């Protein structure tokens, strides 16, 4: 499967890249035609720092007290907090980065984390947001715990209606012929094409 992979670099910074693998993949919310492998940008110092800078720049005029990091994005979240605190409206501001537990798609905050969200301006950070369900659930969770959702950011994003400003480093337009379907509507499944791998925030596990 990896032999099919090819690299796509971010238009605004060539240091940032993801690997694209065509095929048939099952995610938590959908079946997709391409696996977006973000291991490098999540794990490597230079790439994570560069990605964080681009995402932070999009929110330089947005007050941010806390970044909620999902899908193993805490290193990028920490670099975002650092970048935001060195310029713009958040100059010299102490910004917290937290990773909540999840119950299904819902954010679960223990008592010790609630003070970082209640009455705070909160930015949601995730790796992938193609259907919008993760972002929508995260935004609602922030509001439920008394916070003000001020934006959402992702490495890879789709096209969906969002209640808050949303930015991503890569989009579906960067991947030729990218398709996403609800599992029950997946034409590949209906045609008998086997799923290549199950994909989540940790990566992919091959099935065939």
């Amino acid at each position: 499967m990896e032999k099919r992979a090819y690299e796509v670099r971010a238009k605004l910074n060539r240091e940032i890249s993801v690997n694209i693998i065509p095929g048939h993949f099952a995610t938590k919310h959908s079946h997709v035609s391409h696996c977006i492998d973000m291991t490098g940008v999540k794990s490597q110092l230079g790439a994570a720092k560069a990605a964080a800078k681009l995402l932070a720049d999009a929110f330089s005029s947005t007050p941010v007290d806390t970044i909620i990091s999902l899908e193993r994005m805490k290193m990028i979240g920490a670099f975002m907090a650092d970048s935001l605190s060195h310029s713009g409206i958040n100059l010299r501001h102490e910004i917290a980065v937290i990773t909540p537990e999840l119950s299904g798609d819902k954010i679960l905050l223990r008592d010790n984390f609630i003070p970082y969200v209640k009455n705070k301006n909160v930015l949601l950070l995730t790796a992938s947001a193609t259907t919008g369900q993760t972002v929508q659930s995260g935004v609602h969770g922030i509001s439920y715990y008394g916070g003000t959702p001020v934006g959402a950011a992702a490495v890879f994003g789709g096209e969906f209606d969002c209640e808050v400003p949303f930015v991503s480093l890569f989009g579906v337009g960067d991947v030729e012929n990218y398709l996403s379907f609800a599992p029950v509507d997946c034409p590949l499944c209906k045609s008998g094409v086997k799923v290549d791998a199950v994909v989540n925030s940790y990566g992919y596990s091959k099935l065939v």
Side-chain angles (χ1 to χ4, degrees):
M1 187 174 75
E2 290 82 354
K3 293 179 180 178
R4 290 176 273 170
Y6 61 93
E7 186 179 60
V8 172
R9 294 187 175 273
K11 295 181 177 70
L12 296 178
N13 190 328
R14 305 291 290 175
E15 286 185 63
I16 307 165
S17 67
V18 292
N19 288 324
I20 311 297
I21 308 172
H24 181 195
F25 302 94
T27 73
K28 181 166 58 175
H29 297 130
S30 59
H31 282 203
V32 295
S33 59
H34 295 74
C35 170
I36 315 299
D37 182 4
M38 308 177 207
T39 306
V41 73
K42 287 184 180 183
S43 308
Q44 294 176 331
L45 179 67
K49 194 171 185 177
K53 177 65 168 59
L54 286 182
L55 293 173
D57 286 349
F59 295 99
S60 61
S61 299
T62 302
V64 177
D65 299 304
T66 299
I67 296 172
I68 285 185
S69 166
L70 306 177
E71 298 186 333
R72 296 176 55 244
M73 290 283 284
K74 197 162 188 178
M75 181 157 72
I76 292 178
F79 282 130
M80 279 186 70
D82 182 67
S83 182
L84 285 168
S85 68
H86 279 85
S87 64
I89 197 172
N90 296 293
L91 182 64
R92 292 186 291 277
H93 185 54
E94 186 72 23
I95 300 173
V97 182
I98 63 173
T99 299
E101 296 175 65
L102 294 177
S103 177
D105 280 335
K106 298 185 184 301
I107 288 174
L108 174 62
L109 292 179
R110 301 294 178 177
D111 291 354
N112 50 302
F113 273 162
I114 291 177
Y116 293 102
V117 174
K118 188 175 182 180
N119 300 320
K120 303 293 186 182
N121 297 308
V122 185
L123 178 66
L124 184 71
L125 173 65
T126 188
S128 178
T130 52
T131 66
Q133 291 184 52
T134 298
V135 170
Q136 181 182 32
S137 180
V139 166
H140 290 173
I142 292 166
S143 297
Y144 173 81
Y145 284 104
T148 300
V150 295
V155 174
F156 184 79
E159 297 176 1
F160 51 85
D161 293 330
C162 191
E163 300 173 37
V164 296
F166 172 72
V167 297
S168 63
L169 300 178
F170 300 90
V172 295
D174 295 312
V175 182
E176 189 175 0
N177 298 321
Y178 182 90
L179 297 172
S180 175
F181 306 96
V184 294
D185 297 324
C186 178
L188 295 173
C189 289
K190 292 177 180 180
S191 298
V193 178
K194 292 183 178 180
V195 172
D196 291 302
V198 174
V199 181
N200 64 18
S201 63
Y202 290 93
Y204 58 88
S205 297
K206 290 185 285 189
L207 299 180
V208 293

